[in-house]
Amino acid sequence: MKLKTPELRCVIFVLLCLGFVQSLFAVRSIPWRPERLPGSSRLSIDSIRWLVLPPKADEDLLRAANDLAEVFKLRGIDTEIVEADGLKPRYAIIISPYGRSSRDLGGGYLIRRRQSRVYIRSADTEGLVNGIYAICQELLGARWYWPSELGFQLTDVYENKFPDRLWWGRPAFIERRLHPVDTDFGRRNGLNRLYSFNHNLARIFNEDVYRKHPEAFAEIGGKRSRPKGSRQIDRQPDFTEAVTVDLSVAAVRTHFAEEPDSMSFSLSINDNVLFDQSAETEAVVSPIDHFRGLPNYTNLVFGYMNKVASNLFSDSENLKNDSGHNRYLTALAYYWTEQSPSFEIHPRIMPVLTSDRGQWHDPKYREEDKALIRRWVNSGAERIATWDYYFGAPYPYPRQFNQWIGESIKFLHREGVDVFFSQLPSVWGLDGPKAWLTAQLLWNPKQDVEELLDEFYTNFFGAAAEPMREFYEIAEDIRNENEGEAAWIKFYKDEAGIELFDRETLKKMRDQISLAQILVRNDQSRLARVLVVSLAFEFTEAYATFHYSRRELFELSLSSLNNKSTQSNPSLLEVWDSYLKASSNFDILKKRINEEPMCKGLRRFDSFLQSAPEPLAMAAFSKLQLDSSSQLESEAVDPSRFEMIQAASLAWGENGPVFESVIDNSSLRHTGQELRDFLGPKIPRIDGWRIQYRPSQGFLMRSAAESFGSGLRIENANIVALTRICPVAPGRPHVLDMLASWKVSPDNRTWIQLVWRAEDGKTLKTQVPMMIPTGSSNEPQVLSLLFDPPRDAIEVGILVMTNRQSRGDFIELEKLDFGPLRPAD
């Protein structure tokens, strides 16, 4: 076609330019994978001889360059790293910043070839590092699937020549953070951190502020709450006070002045739900509504955030940092503040949506969570962050949900969320592909999840790919099928969560590992990876054996105490012996595994106390009134234990062990009811006992069904603790005697805990002698527990706790008594 006028030529030229710019930015939206382009003019990869870094390159850049040089070497290419300003030798990769500020965030980069030189450019070190690893991975076929040398793999697919056009890399999520992220694995897989958004108000509202402005602190029980400097237990400030806003603004101004390059300041609530109870707060949150079963305080907290943001960002110097990036106030949409607000929030508030999207197996929760994300995206905020829970440790089994990682990250990206954080303290053998898969999707969520998983299993496990895929997929299928209705981080630190995996399932999973070991027996690197999985899964198996024997001992002891056991005495001894051996074996394995670097996340398993039903079993032995130690021929029943059991046997009466009660209200008689705050409900007053609780929807606490005005029944509880302190008689066995009934669903934890203390208040020993297993008691059960107190104990704190009750769950106590065993006549 012939162009007839200069004007027409101009129009067409402009349209072509616009089209080029549009296509360029479309490419930048996700990483560009170089294509195989023909032509002898392309630069051959094996011609590269130099890696040129800018002067005074920082540690991350040096590490990345060393990794690139090592990958070149593995491909048979020798390169030399030099640091120089302006040096541009031929056949070199020249790594240098733009030399100007860029408003792009997230570590984007540009790679281009000019004749025999390849340039990696970015506005910051993070982008240069990412550009280096793009060459490592996309051209040279290097992968870091796990940390350490064990996780490194050269793939069979790599390029021989550099691409002939601009190569942009720009991540979909500007923050891609798996905690802990400051690791070699994080650097090599493009993870980063930009913003701060952890619990933080305790740092602002400290003791110094309290002395000057006590009115800024929560009023609870009619008193202003003095801070202790803890982001976990300090009460929230009084969000209705103007001085609270002023103090917050001043703290943020100071931070930005002292840290001119900072892009955020966290005003996230402390890690609790201890809010102000004054009439002013009641007026803001009333009428009380609930979200996910908990009171909704979003308007209270984000109303305060709006006031701080409006004041702070009215000054132009606070709007941007020294690099020209927008600044934000961050706030966790967490626990009582998960729900979206009923009003528009300031654009420079960055809400951080906390959700366990591993629970998306529950379709109701999945759709509810998607709707919640959309509401927050439309809340007025300029940028939305998310905080997920991809644990990992301390779960003692493979917590697999790759399907939901893929679906949720893709959904978050489509809706405009671009700041991602998740806790993932990996036990690499149990977590498998989770961390690598997540890192890949955070750069480019348009990738196919199944293709990524195929790559992981094929490259990482080689000939063992299929059985190792089956191992992880059995775990994922079991979780999808059996975890049931969603709950926040379900089974987190729940000792009974292992019951998702029955013995048959564990055997199937072990069979896959055994087959994998055979298939790669002559491939040392891949065999080593399978052995890491094997060792980590050994922890799962040993814990399951320990837990199932613990449960069996509890149930058999309970049956014996309630005259239901049809088993003979040797059967109780046999179960006792099996339990103690399983416990010992598990402890030995824990010590060994804790020394293994790839399993170190399992150390977190020790952060919660395991129940140990020995006191219940010893009471059951006592009821049998054994008359000689020969009847307790077990390695673990030492003479001191036998003496205590024998003493209890001699004191056993018609209704149980005879002891000297130190509790004057063992039947939990009520003296009325009280309404502690406007959230309710009314709860019984029980002399001598302390009741603590968190309000929740439908929460109910009343007298036991068969004893009007006494006893205690708890239903629909988020968390409730019944406690009291009792004196201890030194040198004498003690008995805890209860009459209780219950219904306990999976993830509901209901237990007894004892804390033995010395005269100086020091804790000598803490034990959980009873965690009620899942199921129903059907009728009230006698629960007698026999204790040998620590030698210097003068008092004991007794705690009955229940939390995370599902619909229909309850615990009902008709009696709770305690005291030293009656001396023998």
Side-chain angles (χ1 to χ4, degrees):
M1 181 178 72
K2 190 171 182 180
L3 302 180
K4 296 183 177 180
T5 66
E7 291 83 2
L8 183 57
R9 292 191 191 99
C10 276
V11 169
I12 293 174
F13 176 75
V14 168
L15 290 173
L16 287 172
C17 288
L18 287 173
F20 172 76
V21 171
Q22 253 187 339
S23 66
L24 178 62
F25 279 90
V27 168
R28 291 184 65 196
S29 65
I30 61 172
W32 180 81
R33 293 179 181 267
E35 300 173 354
R36 297 171 181 265
L37 297 177
S40 59
S41 64
R42 294 176 62 201
L43 178 64
S44 173
I45 284 175
D46 61 14
S47 67
I48 296 297
R49 293 294 175 264
W50 304 93
L51 305 179
V52 182
L53 299 180
K56 299 179 181 178
D58 74 6
E59 286 296 317
D60 278 349
L61 196 53
L62 287 170
R63 291 189 182 104
N66 280 314
D67 278 343
L68 178 55
E70 182 62 26
V71 174
F72 268 124
K73 185 175 181 180
L74 291 170
R75 291 297 187 195
I77 305 164
D78 288 328
T79 57
E80 184 175 342
I81 299 173
V82 295
E83 292 185 46
D85 191 8
L87 181 66
K88 298 178 181 179
R90 297 179 66 193
Y91 304 110
I93 295 177
I94 300 167
I95 302 155
S96 62
Y98 288 139
R100 59 180 173 80
S101 177
S102 169
R103 294 187 180 182
D104 283 344
L105 287 172
Y109 57 84
L110 168 65
I111 301 174
R112 65 179 179 179
R113 180 181 79 87
R114 284 188 174 175
Q115 296 178 344
S116 65
R117 300 173 184 89
V118 175
Y119 293 85
I120 301 176
R121 309 296 300 277
S122 179
D124 53 29
T125 297
E126 181 191 345
L128 296 176
V129 168
N130 290 335
I132 289 172
Y133 285 111
I135 290 176
C136 287
Q137 295 176 33
E138 304 302 334
L139 293 184
L140 299 175
R143 298 289 189 274
W144 287 271
Y145 293 113
W146 284 357
S148 80
E149 291 182 7
L150 188 67
F152 175 75
Q153 182 67 44
L154 276 183
T155 69
D156 294 333
V157 179
Y158 64 97
E159 300 291 329
N160 294 318
K161 296 185 178 183
F162 283 93
D164 261 352
R165 59 175 177 166
L166 292 180
W167 176 2
W168 289 92
R170 188 180 186 186
F173 288 78
I174 63 170
E175 177 163 332
R176 308 165 301 282
R177 188 171 165 197
L178 297 175
H179 180 72
V181 70
D182 300 323
T183 61
D184 288 343
F185 177 85
R187 183 186 70 254
R188 290 161 171 167
N189 286 284
L191 301 180
N192 70 340
R193 59 183 302 172
L194 294 175
Y195 301 105
S196 171
F197 40 71
N198 210 339
H199 307 285
N200 202 43
L201 289 181
R203 290 181 174 175
I204 302 173
F205 296 92
N206 54 34
E207 180 67 27
D208 289 342
V209 172
Y210 180 82
R211 284 194 292 269
K212 297 174 185 176
H213 297 285
E215 70 275 17
F217 292 76
E219 181 183 310
I220 295 179
K223 297 179 181 179
R224 295 288 179 179
S225 180
R226 182 180 291 273
K228 296 181 179 178
S230 169
R231 289 179 292 167
Q232 281 70 48
I233 65 173
D234 273 13
R235 274 64 171 166
Q236 312 297 346
D238 184 346
F239 292 114
T240 67
E241 286 283 345
V243 69
T244 304
V245 174
D246 295 340
L247 290 166
S248 301
V249 171
V252 183
R253 287 185 195 277
T254 299
H255 170 76
F256 285 158
E258 293 175 351
E259 303 285 343
D261 213 37
S262 174
M263 294 191 297
S264 65
F265 188 89
S266 174
L267 289 176
S268 294
I269 58 175
N270 297 325
D271 196 6
N272 60 58
V273 291
L274 299 170
F275 288 90
D276 177 73
Q277 297 174 349
S278 69
E280 290 76 13
T281 293
E282 180 181 4
V284 175
V285 301
S286 295
I288 301 298
D289 68 331
H290 294 83
F291 183 70
R292 292 178 175 165
L294 301 174
N296 176 19
Y297 272 44
T298 296
N299 284 353
L300 172 71
V301 172
F302 281 85
Y304 147 81
M305 292 291 301
N306 266 355
K307 293 174 184 176
V308 175
S310 296
N311 190 322
L312 178 74
F313 293 118
S314 63
D315 298 333
S316 59
E317 68 266 22
N318 293 315
L319 288 170
K320 296 181 183 296
N321 71 353
D322 277 3
S323 300
H325 297 125
N326 287 351
R327 283 171 162 165
Y328 298 94
L329 297 177
T330 61
L332 294 174
Y334 173 74
Y335 216 41
W336 285 14
T337 62
E338 278 191 88
Q339 176 63 291
S340 55
S342 63
F343 48 77
E344 190 169 281
I345 63 176
H346 192 284
R348 291 298 183 87
I349 294 171
M350 185 194 301
V352 185
L353 315 188
T354 58
S355 177
D356 175 16
R357 295 184 184 94
Q359 299 293 314
W360 274 23
H361 68 275
D362 180 344
K364 180 180 177 182
Y365 179 84
R366 183 168 67 248
E367 294 310 310
E368 178 187 75
D369 202 43
K370 287 181 178 180
L372 177 64
I373 292 166
R374 291 189 183 102
R375 291 198 300 273
W376 276 108
V377 166
N378 294 314
S379 66
E382 185 177 289
R383 174 149 276 152
I384 306 290
T386 182
W387 180 313
D388 222 310
Y389 300 91
Y390 281 6
F391 304 100
Y395 288 88
Y397 52 81
R399 187 173 181 253
Q400 291 289 302
F401 45 91
N402 295 317
Q403 175 186 357
W404 308 120
I405 289 174
E407 185 168 328
S408 62
I409 288 177
K410 289 173 184 289
F411 179 84
L412 290 165
H413 173 62
R414 286 196 301 271
E415 294 300 321
V417 178
D418 64 357
V419 175
F420 181 93
F421 171 89
S422 179
Q423 290 162 282
L424 182 54
S426 277
V427 178
W428 295 94
L430 298 183
D431 286 318
K434 278 165 62 175
W436 181 80
L437 174 66
T438 301
Q440 299 305 305
L441 292 171
L442 292 175
W443 262 89
N444 177 11
K446 295 182 180 180
Q447 296 178 90
D448 185 275
V449 173
E450 285 307 310
E451 287 182 7
L452 289 171
L453 291 173
D454 284 344
E455 178 194 324
F456 176 87
Y457 292 119
T458 300
N459 291 335
F460 198 57
F461 291 114
E466 287 310 309
M468 292 313 299
R469 176 195 283 272
E470 182 68 11
F471 169 82
Y472 289 113
E473 289 187 350
I474 288 172
E476 185 160 1
D477 291 345
I478 286 293
R479 190 173 176 276
N480 281 337
E481 293 165 8
N482 296 332
E483 187 143 329
E485 186 175 328
W488 184 71
I489 325 182
K490 195 166 186 177
F491 299 125
Y492 181 69
K493 293 188 177 182
D494 180 6
E495 66 178 42
I498 190 66
E499 292 177 14
L500 286 172
F501 296 82
D502 59 27
R503 292 180 176 92
E504 183 180 352
T505 298
L506 294 174
K507 183 181 183 303
K508 286 180 183 177
M509 295 174 73
R510 171 53 67 184
D511 288 345
Q512 297 304 316
I513 294 174
S514 299
L515 175 58
Q517 288 177 243
I518 294 170
L519 293 173
V520 292
R521 60 187 178 276
N522 297 320
D523 183 340
Q524 291 305 306
S525 63
R526 287 176 170 123
L527 177 60
R529 294 164 185 165
V530 173
L531 290 176
V532 167
V533 180
S534 179
L535 179 60
F537 191 61
E538 197 176 332
F539 184 96
T540 302
E541 294 167 310
Y543 181 68
T545 300
F546 162 60
H547 176 74
Y548 285 125
S549 66
R550 168 173 58 191
R551 176 165 182 151
E552 189 176 8
L553 181 61
F554 176 93
E555 291 173 343
L556 193 55
S557 299
L558 186 65
S559 293
S560 178
L561 289 168
N562 286 274
N563 300 313
K564 295 177 182 176
S565 177
T566 58
Q567 312 246 0
S568 63
N569 174 39
S571 293
L572 182 58
L573 283 173
E574 183 177 297
V575 171
W576 163 270
D577 206 35
S578 295
Y579 158 75
L580 291 170
K581 287 177 180 175
S583 177
S584 176
N585 290 339
F586 180 58
D587 286 341
I588 292 168
L589 181 65
K590 269 199 304 183
K591 291 175 183 175
R592 177 162 66 91
I593 283 182
N594 283 347
E595 301 303 316
E596 296 292 333
M598 300 299 287
C599 297
K600 65 182 181 181
L602 286 171
R603 296 171 193 168
R604 294 169 60 92
F605 188 79
D606 292 331
S607 65
F608 64 100
L609 201 61
Q610 295 286 313
S611 69
E614 289 102 319
L616 187 73
M618 287 190 286
F621 282 132
S622 300
K623 184 183 178 184
L624 296 172
Q625 300 195 340
L626 306 177
D627 57 11
S628 75
S629 59
S630 63
Q631 292 179 272
L632 282 173
E633 291 177 355
S634 169
E635 293 178 7
V637 183
D638 56 37
S640 63
R641 272 180 166 167
F642 173 74
E643 289 171 8
M644 184 170 61
I645 291 170
Q646 191 175 49
S649 296
L650 295 173
W652 204 278
E654 187 175 329
N655 297 312
V658 179
F659 58 94
E660 299 168 3
S661 174
V662 297
I663 293 180
D664 54 8
N665 186 11
S666 62
S667 63
L668 307 173
R669 295 184 307 277
H670 304 184
T671 58
Q673 289 185 312
E674 60 180 338
L675 182 65
R676 293 188 180 174
D677 58 47
F678 56 83
L679 291 172
K682 287 185 177 181
I683 64 168
R685 285 195 300 270
I686 304 176
D687 287 348
W689 295 89
R690 183 183 183 195
I691 298 174
Q692 296 171 286
Y693 65 93
R694 290 178 182 172
S696 56
Q697 190 171 21
F699 170 52
L700 180 65
M701 188 183 297
R702 57 180 173 82
S703 59
E706 301 300 324
S707 49
F708 182 75
S710 64
L712 189 65
R713 183 181 176 96
I714 302 167
E715 302 175 47
N716 296 321
N718 177 250
I719 184 167
V720 174
L722 176 70
T723 61
R724 74 173 292 155
I725 306 296
C726 296
V728 170
R732 293 171 63 183
H734 284 62
V735 174
L736 179 66
D737 202 41
M738 298 174 60
L739 185 63
S741 54
W742 57 81
K743 180 180 182 298
V744 173
S745 296
D747 196 46
N748 169 208
R749 305 94 188 270
T750 300
W751 74 93
I752 306 294
Q753 184 169 315
L754 274 70
V755 182
W756 305 91
R757 299 189 184 93
E759 190 171 6
D760 60 3
K762 180 181 178 182
T763 296
L764 300 171
K765 183 179 182 181
T766 300
Q767 60 189 126
V768 178
M770 186 177 68
M771 177 76 75
I772 297 179
T774 54
S776 300
S777 62
N778 296 321
E779 59 186 18
Q781 301 291 301
V782 172
L783 294 159
S784 296
L785 297 94
L786 186 60
F787 299 94
D788 185 15
R791 185 174 59 183
D792 297 326
I794 62 134
E795 68 176 26
V796 62
I798 299 174
L799 176 147
V800 180
M801 177 81 79
T802 186
N803 74 327
R804 302 169 75 109
Q805 286 184 326
S806 298
R807 290 185 298 273
D809 284 352
F810 71 91
I811 174 70
E812 186 167 288
L813 303 172
E814 295 185 33
K815 181 181 72 169
L816 200 163
D817 208 351
F818 178 80
L821 200 64
R822 183 192 66 183
D825 295 334

